Amino acid sequence: VVQDPCAFTISTDRGAAYRLAPEMKFTTASSLSNNVWQLGLVFSRMVFGKRSVPSQEMAKAMKWLSPGTNLDCLSFEGRRFIHDIIVEKYDLEEVEAFKRLTNPKYNGLKDILLGMLRKDYKKRLTASEALQAMEAYAKSAKVEVPEP
């Protein structure tokens, strides 16, 4: 019996649809760079205590997607829709919690987040660079989580 995987809402190794990396607009091909983007969003949530994706855009996406949507089954139009309402509008430097990181002791943290969340995947930190930067930051400072 062959079952259509697109008939179900399942998780995939590409992560949640709202965490699609910018370059995923036209493809479902996964890469380490896509993973760095997604890890950057997860890391920003850990730092800020909430999603850094604007809630209005998230609400639009969640109305359109069912939980656990299989990204392999997301049509070109679907990927473009998610990209246009979330990724295109996403700018970490405009996130209120990021703007509040004014103390110089958070500069390393800000650099890591900005490096992981560069829209241009060719300029984004590699997985190795991101891990090394996190390790160096953790070793160099008394790591404190900023107030959300």
Side-chain angles (χ1 to χ4, degrees):
V1 175
V2 176
Q3 295 182 343
D4 177 7
C6 297
F8 305 98
T9 56
I10 58 176
S11 298
T12 73
D13 62 346
R14 291 182 180 83
Y18 63 86
R19 288 195 298 259
L20 283 174
E23 62 273 16
M24 297 290 286
K25 181 175 182 176
F26 299 109
T27 183
T28 58
S30 188
S31 73
L32 283 177
S33 183
N34 306 148
N35 293 338
V36 170
W37 172 271
Q38 292 179 359
L39 181 60
L41 290 177
V42 171
F43 186 48
S44 71
R45 185 172 185 178
M46 291 169 61
V47 170
F48 304 135
K50 60 183 179 179
R51 285 187 183 109
S52 56
V53 173
S55 57
Q56 306 91 313
E57 280 73 25
M58 179 65 77
K60 288 178 194 173
M62 299 322 280
K63 281 183 185 178
W64 190 80
L65 291 170
S66 57
T69 297
N70 184 338
L71 298 185
D72 289 326
C73 302
L74 208 58
S75 67
F76 169 76
E77 291 79 17
R79 286 193 307 277
R80 194 175 71 197
F81 174 79
I82 296 303
H83 182 275
D84 291 348
I85 66 169
I86 295 178
V87 179
E88 273 300 315
K89 295 180 180 181
Y90 184 78
D91 182 355
L92 180 63
E93 293 184 273
E94 293 302 316
V95 172
E96 288 302 317
F98 186 83
K99 288 181 186 179
R100 287 194 298 270
L101 294 178
T102 56
N103 189 319
K105 70 182 177 183
Y106 296 126
N107 287 347
L109 183 62
K110 290 168 70 173
D111 291 342
I112 294 167
L113 287 168
L114 287 170
M116 294 175 78
L117 294 170
R118 288 188 182 120
K119 289 187 180 181
D120 183 346
Y121 73 95
K122 293 175 184 172
K123 295 179 180 177
R124 193 174 301 146
L125 290 177
T126 66
S128 178
E129 290 168 340
L131 291 173
Q132 288 173 3
M134 286 181 192
E135 184 177 20
Y137 179 73
K139 286 180 179 179
S140 71
K142 180 182 172 194
V143 178
E144 297 175 33
V145 178
E147 290 295 318

